[in-house]
Amino acid sequence: MKVLRPTQPTSEQLTVINNHKPGVFVVRGAAGSGKTTTALYRLKFTAGFWQRRRRDGFISGPVRVLVLTYNRTLRGYIEELTQEQLKGNDIELTVSTFAKWAADRVTYERILQERERSRKLAALAAPLPLPTDFVRSEVDYVLGRFTPEHLTEYIGCERQGRGRSPRMPAPLRRRLSEEVIDPFQKWKKQQQVWDWSDLANAMAAKRTDDPYHVVVVDEAQDFSANQVRAVLNHLTDEYTLTFVLDAAQRIYPQRFTWSEVGLSVGPHNSKLLSKNFRNTRQIAAFAAPLLRDVEKTDDSAVPDLTSCKEEGAKPVLVQGTFTRQMDHVVRFLDGLGPDNDESVVILHAKGWFAEVKNRLDAAGLAYVELTRNAEWPAGPVNVALSTMHSVKGLEFDHVIIVGLNSEVMPHATEPGDSERDAHLRLLAMSAGRARKTLTITYKPSEASDLIACMDPDTYEVKSI
């Protein structure tokens, strides 16, 4: 499967790459701006700085470099690129997800499975007048933002509801804290199990014997405050730390502010990359309106549509039964030809690929699966299957999103709803993975409400 190859950096990217002095630097970049590539170029120069420091006798032992990625798929994708950037036997390189990195460095009994965790939280929250999914999301937010000794600070933290997401006045926050979060924390201790928030807390509390000189945190908008604190706790006294993020592409409710994790970020140590070098004008024009009404923060990057230089076909919305949808997909793949070297990803929001695999197998079309794959697939196969979440940070020549129906992506229809925002970010992020063509398939009678959020002037419809 093809991987992203670094290209000649632009003048905009060079301002980031050439700033490789010690300290914290934040790269904010819109989809397609090349922020990951820029961070890897910067990694090469920052590691070189520390290699020179080592040769000059200022540090002993190897230069320790850590690259943390959003998920295992992205880790496999950039590991090869990272290794290409770093030369020399005096570098000790770790490329990992946060969960794997933390799990390898602390002692714990067992990580709680998500299904078991959800059942326990649902049982504890049953007396509360709150939707179960919201409770789970709010607990994730609390345990990710506040350290264990400061969990009660949540009670004094204003939480305004948006859309279908309920407003959380102080009495309700207190009930959630006392009736759900506190009992859940005690239950985990009794069961001798951890969840992922406990891993972050353990790493934030434990000082490592082998701190890092150089760290890159990619897709940092989906890190929690405690995960960032954990990273900060594993740095040498003098270090180079790069965060790469775009809050407009945030798909999890983590959220943190730089000040609450003890960092000062301003124009002197941050750069916004707004130019889109990946998408055609037509794909960028389709994706941008999806984020029009989505909540934004200072770390959000709005794409510069005028920077897209490539022209292409408008995205296509294919309407029909799932059988007809797959007929279209197979014809598209056949049309690329047997010697095709262009990459294609077929996405589904939930990863329900049984019928997709059956159709591809019947057509004799080879494919690889990306979701939860710790290694980037080697070999000539350039068709991949993946959930939408797992392609974050990746890019492909052609993106096909199948089965975009209300069952897999339900949400409220009114602007301002947090669930709606999350799904729109996920859809815009997925669409933005495409370099050349974008296809979305769905059955009209079961269509997701997200279809109504698309600008009809930016796509074509094909009924089959």
Side-chain angles (χ1 to χ4, degrees), residues 38-83:
T38 303
L40 294 181
Y41 269 126
R42 186 170 192 266
L43 175 63
K44 175 181 179 179
F45 286 96
T46 54
F49 169 84
W50 286 102
Q51 285 175 300
R52 291 191 295 274
R53 297 272 290 177
R54 180 181 183 276
R55 287 195 294 269
D56 292 341
F58 289 100
I59 61 174
S60 59
V63 176
R64 285 179 288 276
V65 178
L66 173 66
V67 179
L68 291 178
T69 66
Y70 164 74
N71 59 28
R72 286 190 289 181
T73 307
L74 184 57
R75 187 211 68 80
Y77 186 68
I78 71 170
E79 182 171 31
E80 180 181 345
L81 304 179
T82 304
Q83 291 173 342

mmCIF file of all heavy atoms in Angstrom, residues 38-83:
data_model
loop_
_atom_site.group_PDB
_atom_site.id
_atom_site.type_symbol
_atom_site.label_atom_id
_atom_site.label_comp_id
_atom_site.label_asym_id
_atom_site.label_seq_id
_atom_site.Cartn_x
_atom_site.Cartn_y
_atom_site.Cartn_z
ATOM 1 N N THR A 38 5.186 18.254 7.364
ATOM 2 C CA THR A 38 5.984 19.351 7.910
ATOM 3 C C THR A 38 6.590 18.966 9.253
ATOM 4 O O THR A 38 7.765 19.249 9.528
ATOM 5 C CB THR A 38 5.107 20.604 8.066
ATOM 6 O OG1 THR A 38 4.544 20.947 6.798
ATOM 7 C CG2 THR A 38 5.914 21.775 8.596
ATOM 8 N N ALA A 39 5.793 18.310 10.093
ATOM 9 C CA ALA A 39 6.292 17.896 11.404
ATOM 10 C C ALA A 39 7.429 16.890 11.268
ATOM 11 O O ALA A 39 8.393 16.914 12.047
ATOM 12 C CB ALA A 39 5.157 17.303 12.226
ATOM 13 N N LEU A 40 7.339 15.995 10.268
ATOM 14 C CA LEU A 40 8.403 15.007 10.073
ATOM 15 C C LEU A 40 9.680 15.668 9.556
ATOM 16 O O LEU A 40 10.794 15.282 9.936
ATOM 17 C CB LEU A 40 7.933 13.918 9.116
ATOM 18 C CG LEU A 40 6.796 13.034 9.634
ATOM 19 C CD1 LEU A 40 6.432 11.974 8.611
ATOM 20 C CD2 LEU A 40 7.169 12.381 10.958
ATOM 21 N N TYR A 41 9.537 16.655 8.682
ATOM 22 C CA TYR A 41 10.712 17.418 8.258
ATOM 23 C C TYR A 41 11.340 18.129 9.458
ATOM 24 O O TYR A 41 12.562 18.148 9.631
ATOM 25 C CB TYR A 41 10.319 18.459 7.211
ATOM 26 C CG TYR A 41 10.407 17.979 5.782
ATOM 27 C CD1 TYR A 41 9.316 18.080 4.927
ATOM 28 C CD2 TYR A 41 11.592 17.454 5.271
ATOM 29 C CE1 TYR A 41 9.389 17.652 3.612
ATOM 30 C CE2 TYR A 41 11.682 17.029 3.960
ATOM 31 C CZ TYR A 41 10.577 17.129 3.133
ATOM 32 O OH TYR A 41 10.659 16.710 1.836
ATOM 33 N N ARG A 42 10.483 18.718 10.280
ATOM 34 C CA ARG A 42 10.990 19.412 11.469
ATOM 35 C C ARG A 42 11.681 18.429 12.408
ATOM 36 O O ARG A 42 12.694 18.761 13.040
ATOM 37 C CB ARG A 42 9.839 20.122 12.191
ATOM 38 C CG ARG A 42 10.288 20.987 13.357
ATOM 39 C CD ARG A 42 9.153 21.852 13.897
ATOM 40 N NE ARG A 42 9.673 22.850 14.807
ATOM 41 C CZ ARG A 42 9.744 22.704 16.127
ATOM 42 N NH1 ARG A 42 9.302 21.589 16.683
ATOM 43 N NH2 ARG A 42 10.247 23.657 16.892
ATOM 44 N N LEU A 43 11.138 17.210 12.487
ATOM 45 C CA LEU A 43 11.743 16.180 13.320
ATOM 46 C C LEU A 43 13.179 15.909 12.891
ATOM 47 O O LEU A 43 14.078 15.735 13.725
ATOM 48 C CB LEU A 43 10.910 14.901 13.235
ATOM 49 C CG LEU A 43 11.453 13.663 13.948
ATOM 50 C CD1 LEU A 43 11.523 13.907 15.449
ATOM 51 C CD2 LEU A 43 10.579 12.455 13.648
ATOM 52 N N LYS A 44 13.402 15.870 11.592
ATOM 53 C CA LYS A 44 14.750 15.616 11.075
ATOM 54 C C LYS A 44 15.732 16.668 11.581
ATOM 55 O O LYS A 44 16.837 16.343 12.037
ATOM 56 C CB LYS A 44 14.711 15.612 9.546
ATOM 57 C CG LYS A 44 16.064 15.474 8.877
ATOM 58 C CD LYS A 44 15.912 15.500 7.362
ATOM 59 C CE LYS A 44 17.264 15.383 6.672
ATOM 60 N NZ LYS A 44 17.108 15.392 5.190
ATOM 61 N N PHE A 45 15.322 17.930 11.538
ATOM 62 C CA PHE A 45 16.230 19.002 11.936
ATOM 63 C C PHE A 45 16.361 19.106 13.454
ATOM 64 O O PHE A 45 17.441 19.405 13.969
ATOM 65 C CB PHE A 45 15.754 20.329 11.345
ATOM 66 C CG PHE A 45 16.009 20.445 9.871
ATOM 67 C CD1 PHE A 45 15.017 20.144 8.959
ATOM 68 C CD2 PHE A 45 17.248 20.832 9.394
ATOM 69 C CE1 PHE A 45 15.245 20.228 7.598
ATOM 70 C CE2 PHE A 45 17.498 20.923 8.033
ATOM 71 C CZ PHE A 45 16.495 20.616 7.129
ATOM 72 N N THR A 46 15.262 18.863 14.182
ATOM 73 C CA THR A 46 15.364 18.925 15.644
ATOM 74 C C THR A 46 16.222 17.780 16.175
ATOM 75 O O THR A 46 17.023 17.971 17.095
ATOM 76 C CB THR A 46 13.970 18.874 16.294
ATOM 77 O OG1 THR A 46 13.263 17.723 15.829
ATOM 78 C CG2 THR A 46 13.167 20.109 15.972
ATOM 79 N N ALA A 47 16.070 16.592 15.591
ATOM 80 C CA ALA A 47 16.921 15.473 16.011
ATOM 81 C C ALA A 47 18.380 15.775 15.694
ATOM 82 O O ALA A 47 19.284 15.461 16.484
ATOM 83 C CB ALA A 47 16.471 14.188 15.322
ATOM 84 N N GLY A 48 18.614 16.400 14.537
ATOM 85 C CA GLY A 48 19.977 16.776 14.177
ATOM 86 C C GLY A 48 20.578 17.753 15.173
ATOM 87 O O GLY A 48 21.775 17.676 15.501
ATOM 88 N N PHE A 49 19.760 18.678 15.671
ATOM 89 C CA PHE A 49 20.227 19.625 16.685
ATOM 90 C C PHE A 49 20.710 18.877 17.924
ATOM 91 O O PHE A 49 21.785 19.163 18.465
ATOM 92 C CB PHE A 49 19.087 20.589 17.043
ATOM 93 C CG PHE A 49 19.347 21.431 18.257
ATOM 94 C CD1 PHE A 49 20.061 22.608 18.152
ATOM 95 C CD2 PHE A 49 18.885 21.042 19.508
ATOM 96 C CE1 PHE A 49 20.310 23.395 19.282
ATOM 97 C CE2 PHE A 49 19.125 21.811 20.640
ATOM 98 C CZ PHE A 49 19.844 22.993 20.520
ATOM 99 N N TRP A 50 19.928 17.889 18.363
ATOM 100 C CA TRP A 50 20.299 17.152 19.567
ATOM 101 C C TRP A 50 21.458 16.193 19.312
ATOM 102 O O TRP A 50 22.251 15.916 20.226
ATOM 103 C CB TRP A 50 19.080 16.409 20.114
ATOM 104 C CG TRP A 50 18.125 17.361 20.757
ATOM 105 C CD1 TRP A 50 16.969 17.854 20.235
ATOM 106 C CD2 TRP A 50 18.283 17.978 22.029
ATOM 107 N NE1 TRP A 50 16.381 18.740 21.102
ATOM 108 C CE2 TRP A 50 17.177 18.836 22.223
ATOM 109 C CE3 TRP A 50 19.251 17.896 23.030
ATOM 110 C CZ2 TRP A 50 17.009 19.600 23.366
ATOM 111 C CZ3 TRP A 50 19.083 18.659 24.174
ATOM 112 C CH2 TRP A 50 17.972 19.499 24.337
ATOM 113 N N GLN A 51 21.593 15.713 18.096
ATOM 114 C CA GLN A 51 22.768 14.903 17.766
ATOM 115 C C GLN A 51 24.041 15.740 17.874
ATOM 116 O O GLN A 51 25.072 15.267 18.363
ATOM 117 C CB GLN A 51 22.629 14.318 16.355
ATOM 118 C CG GLN A 51 21.638 13.165 16.258
ATOM 119 C CD GLN A 51 21.453 12.694 14.831
ATOM 120 O OE1 GLN A 51 21.036 13.456 13.956
ATOM 121 N NE2 GLN A 51 21.766 11.430 14.583
ATOM 122 N N ARG A 52 23.968 16.980 17.436
ATOM 123 C CA ARG A 52 25.131 17.867 17.562
ATOM 124 C C ARG A 52 25.424 18.155 19.032
ATOM 125 O O ARG A 52 26.596 18.208 19.442
ATOM 126 C CB ARG A 52 24.885 19.164 16.797
ATOM 127 C CG ARG A 52 24.861 18.982 15.278
ATOM 128 C CD ARG A 52 24.885 20.309 14.553
ATOM 129 N NE ARG A 52 23.679 21.098 14.805
ATOM 130 C CZ ARG A 52 22.547 20.974 14.114
ATOM 131 N NH1 ARG A 52 22.473 20.088 13.128
ATOM 132 N NH2 ARG A 52 21.503 21.728 14.398
ATOM 133 N N ARG A 53 24.367 18.333 19.821
ATOM 134 C CA ARG A 53 24.559 18.554 21.260
ATOM 135 C C ARG A 53 25.250 17.341 21.897
ATOM 136 O O ARG A 53 26.097 17.488 22.781
ATOM 137 C CB ARG A 53 23.203 18.781 21.931
ATOM 138 C CG ARG A 53 22.461 20.021 21.467
ATOM 139 C CD ARG A 53 22.842 21.241 22.251
ATOM 140 N NE ARG A 53 22.348 21.193 23.617
ATOM 141 C CZ ARG A 53 22.611 22.126 24.532
ATOM 142 N NH1 ARG A 53 23.389 23.144 24.225
ATOM 143 N NH2 ARG A 53 22.127 22.030 25.755
ATOM 144 N N ARG A 54 24.890 16.160 21.443
ATOM 145 C CA ARG A 54 25.506 14.943 21.976
ATOM 146 C C ARG A 54 26.975 14.881 21.588
ATOM 147 O O ARG A 54 27.839 14.563 22.423
ATOM 148 C CB ARG A 54 24.760 13.715 21.448
ATOM 149 C CG ARG A 54 25.315 12.384 21.944
ATOM 150 C CD ARG A 54 24.530 11.224 21.364
ATOM 151 N NE ARG A 54 25.010 9.949 21.875
ATOM 152 C CZ ARG A 54 26.041 9.285 21.366
ATOM 153 N NH1 ARG A 54 26.701 9.779 20.324
ATOM 154 N NH2 ARG A 54 26.416 8.132 21.894
ATOM 155 N N ARG A 55 27.271 15.191 20.318
ATOM 156 C CA ARG A 55 28.667 15.155 19.872
ATOM 157 C C ARG A 55 29.514 16.183 20.608
ATOM 158 O O ARG A 55 30.711 15.976 20.826
ATOM 159 C CB ARG A 55 28.734 15.391 18.361
ATOM 160 C CG ARG A 55 28.247 14.207 17.531
ATOM 161 C CD ARG A 55 28.664 14.355 16.082
ATOM 162 N NE ARG A 55 28.017 15.485 15.439
ATOM 163 C CZ ARG A 55 26.862 15.409 14.786
ATOM 164 N NH1 ARG A 55 26.229 14.244 14.711
ATOM 165 N NH2 ARG A 55 26.342 16.483 14.223
ATOM 166 N N ASP A 56 28.878 17.297 21.009
ATOM 167 C CA ASP A 56 29.606 18.345 21.728
ATOM 168 C C ASP A 56 29.719 18.052 23.218
ATOM 169 O O ASP A 56 30.271 18.865 23.969
ATOM 170 C CB ASP A 56 28.916 19.697 21.523
ATOM 171 C CG ASP A 56 29.027 20.188 20.081
ATOM 172 O OD1 ASP A 56 29.911 19.687 19.356
ATOM 173 O OD2 ASP A 56 28.222 21.052 19.677
ATOM 174 N N GLY A 57 29.156 16.915 23.648
ATOM 175 C CA GLY A 57 29.323 16.492 25.030
ATOM 176 C C GLY A 57 28.299 17.030 26.012
ATOM 177 O O GLY A 57 28.457 16.869 27.227
ATOM 178 N N PHE A 58 27.222 17.651 25.512
ATOM 179 C CA PHE A 58 26.220 18.214 26.417
ATOM 180 C C PHE A 58 25.244 17.156 26.945
ATOM 181 O O PHE A 58 24.595 17.371 27.970
ATOM 182 C CB PHE A 58 25.434 19.327 25.717
ATOM 183 C CG PHE A 58 26.247 20.569 25.488
ATOM 184 C CD1 PHE A 58 26.806 20.832 24.245
ATOM 185 C CD2 PHE A 58 26.472 21.466 26.522
ATOM 186 C CE1 PHE A 58 27.556 21.972 24.027
ATOM 187 C CE2 PHE A 58 27.224 22.610 26.312
ATOM 188 C CZ PHE A 58 27.778 22.864 25.065
ATOM 189 N N ILE A 59 25.097 16.041 26.238
ATOM 190 C CA ILE A 59 24.241 14.960 26.716
ATOM 191 C C ILE A 59 24.979 13.643 26.542
ATOM 192 O O ILE A 59 25.849 13.508 25.676
ATOM 193 C CB ILE A 59 22.887 14.906 25.971
ATOM 194 C CG1 ILE A 59 23.094 14.658 24.475
ATOM 195 C CG2 ILE A 59 22.083 16.157 26.194
ATOM 196 C CD1 ILE A 59 21.798 14.461 23.711
ATOM 197 N N SER A 60 24.646 12.685 27.393
ATOM 198 C CA SER A 60 25.240 11.359 27.291
ATOM 199 C C SER A 60 24.172 10.371 26.839
ATOM 200 O O SER A 60 22.975 10.612 27.002
ATOM 201 C CB SER A 60 25.813 10.929 28.647
ATOM 202 O OG SER A 60 24.796 10.905 29.631
ATOM 203 N N GLY A 61 24.604 9.273 26.287
ATOM 204 C CA GLY A 61 23.650 8.288 25.807
ATOM 205 C C GLY A 61 23.038 8.714 24.488
ATOM 206 O O GLY A 61 23.392 9.756 23.909
ATOM 207 N N PRO A 62 22.099 7.936 23.981
ATOM 208 C CA PRO A 62 21.497 8.248 22.685
ATOM 209 C C PRO A 62 20.537 9.431 22.762
ATOM 210 O O PRO A 62 20.065 9.801 23.836
ATOM 211 C CB PRO A 62 20.747 6.962 22.339
ATOM 212 C CG PRO A 62 20.389 6.381 23.670
ATOM 213 C CD PRO A 62 21.547 6.700 24.571
ATOM 214 N N VAL A 63 20.253 10.003 21.603
ATOM 215 C CA VAL A 63 19.202 11.015 21.495
ATOM 216 C C VAL A 63 17.875 10.266 21.434
ATOM 217 O O VAL A 63 17.622 9.508 20.498
ATOM 218 C CB VAL A 63 19.390 11.883 20.234
ATOM 219 C CG1 VAL A 63 18.221 12.860 20.086
ATOM 220 C CG2 VAL A 63 20.718 12.622 20.287
ATOM 221 N N ARG A 64 17.046 10.450 22.437
ATOM 222 C CA ARG A 64 15.784 9.708 22.509
ATOM 223 C C ARG A 64 14.665 10.518 21.857
ATOM 224 O O ARG A 64 14.407 11.665 22.244
ATOM 225 C CB ARG A 64 15.456 9.356 23.958
ATOM 226 C CG ARG A 64 16.326 8.219 24.495
ATOM 227 C CD ARG A 64 16.010 7.896 25.936
ATOM 228 N NE ARG A 64 16.487 8.947 26.822
ATOM 229 C CZ ARG A 64 17.737 9.026 27.284
ATOM 230 N NH1 ARG A 64 18.624 8.108 26.937
ATOM 231 N NH2 ARG A 64 18.089 10.002 28.084
ATOM 232 N N VAL A 65 14.023 9.881 20.882
ATOM 233 C CA VAL A 65 12.987 10.528 20.074
ATOM 234 C C VAL A 65 11.690 9.737 20.207
ATOM 235 O O VAL A 65 11.683 8.511 20.081
ATOM 236 C CB VAL A 65 13.404 10.601 18.586
ATOM 237 C CG1 VAL A 65 12.296 11.234 17.746
ATOM 238 C CG2 VAL A 65 14.709 11.378 18.436
ATOM 239 N N LEU A 66 10.593 10.442 20.448
ATOM 240 C CA LEU A 66 9.273 9.818 20.576
ATOM 241 C C LEU A 66 8.310 10.480 19.604
ATOM 242 O O LEU A 66 8.181 11.706 19.583
ATOM 243 C CB LEU A 66 8.749 9.976 22.009
ATOM 244 C CG LEU A 66 7.305 9.527 22.273
ATOM 245 C CD1 LEU A 66 7.165 8.016 22.091
ATOM 246 C CD2 LEU A 66 6.861 9.947 23.678
ATOM 247 N N VAL A 67 7.630 9.666 18.797
ATOM 248 C CA VAL A 67 6.570 10.155 17.910
ATOM 249 C C VAL A 67 5.285 9.443 18.308
ATOM 250 O O VAL A 67 5.195 8.216 18.218
ATOM 251 C CB VAL A 67 6.889 9.884 16.427
ATOM 252 C CG1 VAL A 67 5.749 10.389 15.541
ATOM 253 C CG2 VAL A 67 8.204 10.544 16.031
ATOM 254 N N LEU A 68 4.311 10.204 18.785
ATOM 255 C CA LEU A 68 3.026 9.645 19.198
ATOM 256 C C LEU A 68 1.974 9.966 18.150
ATOM 257 O O LEU A 68 1.836 11.120 17.724
ATOM 258 C CB LEU A 68 2.592 10.219 20.549
ATOM 259 C CG LEU A 68 3.420 9.785 21.761
ATOM 260 C CD1 LEU A 68 2.914 10.477 23.020
ATOM 261 C CD2 LEU A 68 3.389 8.273 21.937
ATOM 262 N N THR A 69 1.227 8.954 17.750
ATOM 263 C CA THR A 69 0.215 9.121 16.721
ATOM 264 C C THR A 69 -1.165 8.850 17.296
ATOM 265 O O THR A 69 -1.314 8.345 18.411
ATOM 266 C CB THR A 69 0.472 8.173 15.541
ATOM 267 O OG1 THR A 69 0.303 6.817 15.984
ATOM 268 C CG2 THR A 69 1.862 8.338 14.994
ATOM 269 N N TYR A 70 -2.158 9.161 16.492
ATOM 270 C CA TYR A 70 -3.552 9.080 16.935
ATOM 271 C C TYR A 70 -4.019 7.641 17.120
ATOM 272 O O TYR A 70 -4.681 7.314 18.092
ATOM 273 C CB TYR A 70 -4.422 9.811 15.912
ATOM 274 C CG TYR A 70 -5.891 9.501 15.998
ATOM 275 C CD1 TYR A 70 -6.666 10.024 17.024
ATOM 276 C CD2 TYR A 70 -6.502 8.682 15.057
ATOM 277 C CE1 TYR A 70 -8.014 9.744 17.097
ATOM 278 C CE2 TYR A 70 -7.847 8.403 15.128
ATOM 279 C CZ TYR A 70 -8.600 8.938 16.150
ATOM 280 O OH TYR A 70 -9.923 8.648 16.222
ATOM 281 N N ASN A 71 -3.702 6.761 16.191
ATOM 282 C CA ASN A 71 -4.129 5.366 16.316
ATOM 283 C C ASN A 71 -3.104 4.451 15.658
ATOM 284 O O ASN A 71 -2.121 4.910 15.081
ATOM 285 C CB ASN A 71 -5.527 5.146 15.712
ATOM 286 C CG ASN A 71 -5.590 5.511 14.241
ATOM 287 O OD1 ASN A 71 -4.592 5.439 13.527
ATOM 288 N ND2 ASN A 71 -6.764 5.908 13.774
ATOM 289 N N ARG A 72 -3.334 3.153 15.749
ATOM 290 C CA ARG A 72 -2.361 2.189 15.235
ATOM 291 C C ARG A 72 -2.204 2.271 13.724
ATOM 292 O O ARG A 72 -1.123 2.041 13.187
ATOM 293 C CB ARG A 72 -2.766 0.771 15.651
ATOM 294 C CG ARG A 72 -2.510 0.495 17.117
ATOM 295 C CD ARG A 72 -2.677 -0.972 17.443
ATOM 296 N NE ARG A 72 -4.067 -1.385 17.392
ATOM 297 C CZ ARG A 72 -4.482 -2.618 17.649
ATOM 298 N NH1 ARG A 72 -3.612 -3.558 17.952
ATOM 299 N NH2 ARG A 72 -5.759 -2.920 17.604
ATOM 300 N N THR A 73 -3.291 2.593 13.032
ATOM 301 C CA THR A 73 -3.203 2.709 11.581
ATOM 302 C C THR A 73 -2.258 3.832 11.194
ATOM 303 O O THR A 73 -1.377 3.673 10.343
ATOM 304 C CB THR A 73 -4.598 2.970 10.982
ATOM 305 O OG1 THR A 73 -5.499 1.967 11.439
ATOM 306 C CG2 THR A 73 -4.544 2.952 9.467
ATOM 307 N N LEU A 74 -2.421 4.990 11.827
ATOM 308 C CA LEU A 74 -1.562 6.129 11.531
ATOM 309 C C LEU A 74 -0.125 5.850 11.958
ATOM 310 O O LEU A 74 0.823 6.262 11.288
ATOM 311 C CB LEU A 74 -2.099 7.380 12.233
ATOM 312 C CG LEU A 74 -1.361 8.692 11.961
ATOM 313 C CD1 LEU A 74 -1.332 8.994 10.473
ATOM 314 C CD2 LEU A 74 -2.030 9.838 12.713
ATOM 315 N N ARG A 75 0.045 5.122 13.061
ATOM 316 C CA ARG A 75 1.397 4.780 13.503
ATOM 317 C C ARG A 75 2.133 3.983 12.432
ATOM 318 O O ARG A 75 3.271 4.280 12.070
ATOM 319 C CB ARG A 75 1.341 3.966 14.800
ATOM 320 C CG ARG A 75 2.718 3.723 15.428
ATOM 321 C CD ARG A 75 2.764 2.413 16.180
ATOM 322 N NE ARG A 75 2.678 1.275 15.282
ATOM 323 C CZ ARG A 75 3.701 0.789 14.588
ATOM 324 N NH1 ARG A 75 4.890 1.351 14.679
ATOM 325 N NH2 ARG A 75 3.545 -0.239 13.788
ATOM 326 N N GLY A 76 1.459 2.967 11.887
ATOM 327 C CA GLY A 76 2.086 2.180 10.841
ATOM 328 C C GLY A 76 2.369 2.994 9.596
ATOM 329 O O GLY A 76 3.355 2.767 8.895
ATOM 330 N N TYR A 77 1.502 3.969 9.331
ATOM 331 C CA TYR A 77 1.614 4.793 8.126
ATOM 332 C C TYR A 77 2.861 5.672 8.151
ATOM 333 O O TYR A 77 3.559 5.818 7.149
ATOM 334 C CB TYR A 77 0.351 5.649 8.032
ATOM 335 C CG TYR A 77 0.197 6.481 6.789
ATOM 336 C CD1 TYR A 77 -0.012 5.896 5.548
ATOM 337 C CD2 TYR A 77 0.204 7.869 6.867
ATOM 338 C CE1 TYR A 77 -0.201 6.664 4.418
ATOM 339 C CE2 TYR A 77 0.014 8.644 5.745
ATOM 340 C CZ TYR A 77 -0.192 8.043 4.519
ATOM 341 O OH TYR A 77 -0.386 8.813 3.412
ATOM 342 N N ILE A 78 3.141 6.276 9.314
ATOM 343 C CA ILE A 78 4.236 7.247 9.340
ATOM 344 C C ILE A 78 5.547 6.679 9.872
ATOM 345 O O ILE A 78 6.574 7.351 9.792
ATOM 346 C CB ILE A 78 3.861 8.496 10.162
ATOM 347 C CG1 ILE A 78 3.797 8.178 11.649
ATOM 348 C CG2 ILE A 78 2.577 9.111 9.665
ATOM 349 C CD1 ILE A 78 3.658 9.425 12.504
ATOM 350 N N GLU A 79 5.525 5.452 10.406
ATOM 351 C CA GLU A 79 6.766 4.928 10.980
ATOM 352 C C GLU A 79 7.874 4.845 9.937
ATOM 353 O O GLU A 79 9.019 5.246 10.189
ATOM 354 C CB GLU A 79 6.541 3.554 11.606
ATOM 355 C CG GLU A 79 7.812 3.012 12.249
ATOM 356 C CD GLU A 79 7.573 1.754 13.052
ATOM 357 O OE1 GLU A 79 6.668 0.980 12.696
ATOM 358 O OE2 GLU A 79 8.297 1.543 14.036
ATOM 359 N N GLU A 80 7.539 4.333 8.759
ATOM 360 C CA GLU A 80 8.548 4.222 7.707
ATOM 361 C C GLU A 80 9.080 5.594 7.322
ATOM 362 O O GLU A 80 10.285 5.782 7.119
ATOM 363 C CB GLU A 80 7.949 3.526 6.481
ATOM 364 C CG GLU A 80 8.929 3.364 5.330
ATOM 365 C CD GLU A 80 8.293 2.700 4.122
ATOM 366 O OE1 GLU A 80 7.197 2.124 4.263
ATOM 367 O OE2 GLU A 80 8.894 2.775 3.036
ATOM 368 N N LEU A 81 8.185 6.573 7.240
ATOM 369 C CA LEU A 81 8.605 7.925 6.883
ATOM 370 C C LEU A 81 9.499 8.524 7.961
ATOM 371 O O LEU A 81 10.479 9.209 7.667
ATOM 372 C CB LEU A 81 7.374 8.816 6.682
ATOM 373 C CG LEU A 81 6.351 8.325 5.656
ATOM 374 C CD1 LEU A 81 5.181 9.284 5.584
ATOM 375 C CD2 LEU A 81 7.003 8.195 4.294
ATOM 376 N N THR A 82 9.157 8.260 9.218
ATOM 377 C CA THR A 82 9.958 8.779 10.324
ATOM 378 C C THR A 82 11.363 8.195 10.290
ATOM 379 O O THR A 82 12.358 8.907 10.471
ATOM 380 C CB THR A 82 9.283 8.441 11.664
ATOM 381 O OG1 THR A 82 7.955 8.964 11.663
ATOM 382 C CG2 THR A 82 10.048 9.046 12.823
ATOM 383 N N GLN A 83 11.459 6.903 10.058
ATOM 384 C CA GLN A 83 12.766 6.258 10.012
ATOM 385 C C GLN A 83 13.618 6.804 8.876
ATOM 386 O O GLN A 83 14.842 6.905 8.994
ATOM 387 C CB GLN A 83 12.591 4.746 9.881
ATOM 388 C CG GLN A 83 12.008 4.095 11.131
ATOM 389 C CD GLN A 83 11.678 2.631 10.939
ATOM 390 O OE1 GLN A 83 11.555 2.156 9.816
ATOM 391 N NE2 GLN A 83 11.518 1.910 12.033
#
